[in-house]
């Protein structure tokens, strides 16, 4: 070999070695995302009702970092998912509500596309709920629409496939199968996304009776009267256990997709209890109390399987020696009401639905057991994942990388106010469109349509349950003025259009007659 050839060969080896090192420094990313899993139902969040133990999810908090105020910019399923992918608010990614006639524009830039370009192998398994086909994934295997709990059909790369079993287990099996068969020469992004614990909260058959007929503590606001200066939005919603909860929600009607054998198991648990309920002929507050107990058994029962799924995925990483170079993130598309204010569902700027779990384990970066109450958001996920992989984020993404926080270094200019905007109205739950600013202590909210113009101020320090409107209290006049100014500044920064320029279709199931429907008109569907 000539001297020149030898030099070239040595240089080539060095280049390959450097590329290999760079590749190895890009961590794998396992993103576990559930649907409607609220912090009150994650034991490491220490909720006072102590509703459930989630040891596998808690392992991520013990070995990684817990964010106690991870906020969503628009508290419903599809819009939150669109924000995760794009790093943008609904008004820029175009996905405002869960209207199946207006699918997500998959030609947009998303973080999976950018990671794929940077050499990652990308996959999504489970709940997608954006109507258009996934883009930016080497492999996708998703539930159509909301999906179903038992024996769920799915779509694999465009082809419909049948599955037997419980949806959370199926998604976990498929996630592990993909990990086993992945291209091991590349770092991976796996988004393992659950349907559970979304309505109608149907647990795995093995978890029926998991709680031994426990009587759950009721939230303080189960019988909220929506007083203390709160406005029409509170009184006119349609999401109460008292009025909106259906027989299907209550498991007085079995889901249609059970096999005969599964149906026998279902009936063996529910039927004796349902018969007792029918005999009791409950009404008023007694009926709400019964529904709350049934709701908790079922919702929390779903989380048992999600927690087991997290345990199985973490064990796979351990067994395969992947733990050290894999970032594991657990989060949900929003929070949820577990009887607070008499409600189920989400949508509101209120803490239960605004805040979502966020746990991140990144070995050698996060410090075990670390926690922060800084305001972060699902809006930050895209830039965070790109930063972890060393991939530059596009300038028009609207969040901020959480990597400094994960390293224990909060930037001095970290956000102190967060912009929120919910649109979908009137279906399915008649929650009024509203926007506002969230700070560590306050929320200033404007309910603005249709035919509504009401402002509310909540003070979490003196009223953590958010049952009082301080907007007209003279003691808060200066606070309101300051927050109004900050809100306008946030709207400017995030390029929010003037309210009269929000496209009418943003409000969802949208024939004009529905938008203008007067108070007290027909009840919601279950499309949520
Ligand atoms: Ca959801």
């Amino acid at each position: 070999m000539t001297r020149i050839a030898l030099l070239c060969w040595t240089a080539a080896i060095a280049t390959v070695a450097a590329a290999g090192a760079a590749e190895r420094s890009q961590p794998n990313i396992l993103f576990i995302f559930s649907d409607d899993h609220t912090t009150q139902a994650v034991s490491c969040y220490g909720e006072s009702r102590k509703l459930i133990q989630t040891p596998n999810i808690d392992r991520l908090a013990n070995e990684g970092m817990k964010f106690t105020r991870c906020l969503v910019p628009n508290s419903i399923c599809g819009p939150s998912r669109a924000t995760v992918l794009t790093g943008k608010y609904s008004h820029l990614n175009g996905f405002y509500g869960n209207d199946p006639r207006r699918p997500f524009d998959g030609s947009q830039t998303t973080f999976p596309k950018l990671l794929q370009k940077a050499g990652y192998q990308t996959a999504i398994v489970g709940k997608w709920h954006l109507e258009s086909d996934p883009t930016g994934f080497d492999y996708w295997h998703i539930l159509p629409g909301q999906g179903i709990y038992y024996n769920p059909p799915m779509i694999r790369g465009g082809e419909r496939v049948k599955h037997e079993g419980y949806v959370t287990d199926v998604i976990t099996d498929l996630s592990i199968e993909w990990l086993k068969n992945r291209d091991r020469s590349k770092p991976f992004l796996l988004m393992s996304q659950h349907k559970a614990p979304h309505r109608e909260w149907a647990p795995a058959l093995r978890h029926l009776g998991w709680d031994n007929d426990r009587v759950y503590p009721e939230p303080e606001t189960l019988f909220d009267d929506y007083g203390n200066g709160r406005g029409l939005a509170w009184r006119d919603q349609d999401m109460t256990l008292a009025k909106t909860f259906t027989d299907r929600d209550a498991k007085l009607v079995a889901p249609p997709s059970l096999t005969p054998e599964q149906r026998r198991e279902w009936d063996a648990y529910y039927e004796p209890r349902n018969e007792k309920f029918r005999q009791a002929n409950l009404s008023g507050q007694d009926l709400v109390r019964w529904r709350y107990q049934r709701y908790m058994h079922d919702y929390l029962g779903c989380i048992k399987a999600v927690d087991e799924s997290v345990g199985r995925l973490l064990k796979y990483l351990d067994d395969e020696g992947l733990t050290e170079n894999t970032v594991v993130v657990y989060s949900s598309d929003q929070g949820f009401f577990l009887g607070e204010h008499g409600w189920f569902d989400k949508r509101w700027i209120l803490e239960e639905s605004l805040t979502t779990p966020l746990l991140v384990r990144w070995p050698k970066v996060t410090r075990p057991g670390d926690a922060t109450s800084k305001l972060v958001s699902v809006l930050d996920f895209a830039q965070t994942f790109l930063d972890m992989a060393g991939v530059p984020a596009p300038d028009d993404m609207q969040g901020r990388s959480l990597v400094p926080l994960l390293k224990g270094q909060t930037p001095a200019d970290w956000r102190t106010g967060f912009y929120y905007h919910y649109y979908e109205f009137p279906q399915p739950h008649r929650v009024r469109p509203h926007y506002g600013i969230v700070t560590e202590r306050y929320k200033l909210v404007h309910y603005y349509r249709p035919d509504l113009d009401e402002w509310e101020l909540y003070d979490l320090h003196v009223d953590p349950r958010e049952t009082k409107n301080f907007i007209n209290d003279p003691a808060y006049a200066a606070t309101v003025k300051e927050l109004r100014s900050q809100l306008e500044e946030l709207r400017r920064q995030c390029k929010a259009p003037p309210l009269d320029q929000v496209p009418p279709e943003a409000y969802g199931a949208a024939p004009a007659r529905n938008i203008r429907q007067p108070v007290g008109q027909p009840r919601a569907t279950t499309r949520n």
Side-chain angles (χ1 to χ4, degrees):
M1 192 181 286
T2 66
R3 183 176 155 75
I4 287 173
L6 181 65
L7 277 174
C8 290
W9 181 76
T10 310
I13 291 290
T15 307
V16 168
E23 202 170 87
R24 278 196 301 278
S25 74
Q26 288 185 313
N28 303 310
I29 299 170
L30 171 59
F31 178 67
I32 309 171
F33 201 49
S34 52
D35 193 330
D36 295 359
H37 189 185
T38 191
T39 54
Q40 302 96 292
V42 186
S43 47
C44 69
Y45 279 86
E47 201 268 339
S48 57
R49 273 185 280 167
K50 299 197 184 330
L51 293 171
I52 189 170
Q53 289 300 311
T54 50
N56 294 299
I57 297 172
D58 288 9
R59 185 180 160 194
L60 294 173
N62 296 334
E63 296 175 5
M65 187 163 185
K66 173 170 71 175
F67 293 83
T68 57
R69 283 194 96 201
C70 178
L71 313 180
V72 296
N74 179 2
S75 180
I76 49 172
C77 308
S80 189
R81 289 156 196 274
T83 290
V84 166
L85 291 171
T86 59
K88 290 179 181 172
Y89 275 94
S90 307
H91 61 263
L92 291 191
N93 67 38
F95 204 85
Y96 296 87
N98 290 335
D99 185 345
R101 295 168 305 178
R102 298 188 173 82
F104 176 68
D105 172 7
S107 70
Q108 298 181 70
T109 297
T110 61
F111 85 86
K113 284 186 191 175
L114 296 173
L115 289 184
Q116 194 181 36
K117 252 186 223 162
Y120 274 73
Q121 192 179 17
T122 59
I124 181 162
V125 176
K127 179 89 174 258
W128 169 250
H129 203 209
L130 291 169
E131 306 301 335
S132 53
D133 286 349
T135 52
F137 295 96
D138 297 308
Y139 174 85
W140 55 274
H141 198 146
I142 60 171
L143 295 165
Q146 291 282 12
I148 57 173
Y149 274 102
Y150 305 109
N151 313 314
M154 293 181 75
I155 307 171
R156 181 182 55 209
E159 176 200 357
R160 285 183 82 89
V161 281
K162 287 183 180 172
H163 291 287
E164 276 188 27
Y166 182 63
V167 68
T168 305
D169 302 338
V170 169
I171 290 167
T172 310
D173 291 345
L174 292 172
S175 297
I176 291 174
E177 191 181 301
W178 182 81
L179 285 170
K180 283 181 179 165
N181 295 321
R182 75 188 193 281
D183 177 351
R184 288 163 196 253
S185 70
K186 293 178 175 180
F188 68 80
L189 164 71
L190 171 60
M191 302 177 79
S192 183
Q193 307 201 150
H194 291 293
K195 170 184 175 61
H198 190 277
R199 194 181 184 185
E200 70 286 1
W201 323 294
L205 297 174
R206 68 178 175 282
H207 290 138
L208 297 178
W210 71 280
D211 64 354
N212 298 314
D213 293 309
R214 178 183 170 195
V215 178
Y216 293 93
E218 294 170 359
E220 289 168 34
T221 56
L222 183 61
F223 298 106
D224 195 347
D225 64 2
Y226 312 130
N228 297 322
R230 285 172 292 170
L232 179 69
W234 288 81
R235 297 189 300 277
D236 189 43
Q237 42 64 38
D238 184 17
M239 50 187 276
T240 61
L241 290 166
K243 291 184 181 157
T244 319
F245 205 72
T246 65
D247 284 354
R248 178 88 183 264
D249 293 332
K251 314 299 180 296
L252 297 167
V253 177
S257 66
L258 294 164
T259 65
E261 192 181 334
Q262 291 168 337
R263 176 64 190 265
R264 278 194 288 281
E265 211 174 328
W266 168 280
D267 285 345
Y269 175 77
Y270 283 111
E271 261 315 302
R273 290 165 179 80
N274 289 352
E275 186 51 31
K276 204 169 146 193
F277 163 73
R278 290 184 200 103
Q279 297 289 336
N281 200 24
L282 302 174
S283 62
Q285 292 201 345
D286 290 339
L287 177 59
V288 171
R289 293 203 149 101
W290 181 86
R291 285 177 174 169
Y292 169 74
Q293 294 298 333
R294 175 57 59 89
Y295 173 34
M296 285 304 91
H297 168 273
D298 296 341
Y299 178 94
L300 299 168
C302 289
I303 289 167
K304 290 286 291 178
V306 172
D307 190 63
E308 289 174 0
S309 169
V310 173
R312 286 183 60 199
L313 286 163
L314 295 183
K315 182 172 186 306
Y316 179 84
L317 298 181
D318 290 342
D319 291 349
E320 296 295 311
L322 288 166
T323 299
E324 283 299 297
N325 196 36
T326 302
V327 180
V328 182
V329 177
Y330 184 84
S331 189
S332 176
D333 58 353
Q334 13 61 215
F336 215 67
F337 294 97
L338 300 183
E340 299 91 350
H341 311 294
W343 296 339
F344 60 90
D345 213 69
K346 54 260 183 176
R347 300 166 196 277
W348 297 75
I349 196 172
L350 304 171
E351 282 300 284
E352 291 85 355
S353 51
L354 172 75
T355 308
T356 201
L358 175 59
L359 305 166
V360 183
R361 184 185 74 180
W362 188 3
K364 301 198 188 85
V365 177
T366 49
R367 291 172 299 181
D370 204 1
T372 179
S373 61
K374 290 289 169 197
L375 301 183
V376 305
S377 174
V378 299
L379 184 68
D380 301 323
F381 290 3
Q383 280 145 287
T384 302
F385 293 139
L386 292 170
D387 196 4
M388 286 169 169
V391 177
D395 290 340
D396 61 351
M397 284 188 173
Q398 297 184 291
R400 191 163 173 180
S401 169
L402 300 177
V403 167
L405 277 70
L406 293 168
K407 290 177 174 169
Q409 304 153 357
T410 306
D413 63 346
W414 193 257
R415 69 166 73 86
T416 56
F418 179 75
Y419 177 62
Y420 181 87
H421 198 151
Y422 169 79
Y423 302 85
E424 193 174 78
F425 181 85
Q427 305 290 9
H429 286 292
R430 296 190 59 75
V431 175
R432 299 288 167 147
H434 59 282
Y435 66 94
I437 177 173
V438 180
T439 70
E440 181 269 328
R441 175 168 180 178
Y442 298 108
K443 288 174 195 173
L444 179 73
V445 191
H446 187 203
Y447 300 91
Y448 68 96
R449 78 177 263 132
D451 307 325
L452 193 64
D453 182 16
E454 292 181 343
W455 289 81
E456 295 190 341
L457 175 73
Y458 314 118
D459 180 345
L460 294 173
H461 284 197
V462 303
D463 175 35
R465 303 291 177 220
E466 299 174 294
T467 59
K468 296 187 179 77
N469 176 14
F470 292 100
I471 197 82
N472 293 319
D473 184 333
Y476 286 90
T479 301
V480 169
K481 191 175 172 204
E482 173 59 27
L483 287 169
R484 274 202 192 227
S485 152
Q486 286 180 26
L487 173 57
E488 278 318 300
E489 176 58 20
L490 275 180
R491 283 176 50 78
R492 192 191 61 72
Q493 282 174 13
C494 71
K495 301 181 173 64
L499 296 176
D500 60 3
Q501 289 175 30
V502 175
E505 61 269 24
Y507 299 100
R513 61 188 167 78
N514 282 347
I515 288 183
R516 289 286 160 187
Q517 169 177 289
V519 174
Q521 286 298 296
R523 170 70 54 83
T525 66
T526 56
R527 181 183 66 81
N528 63 344

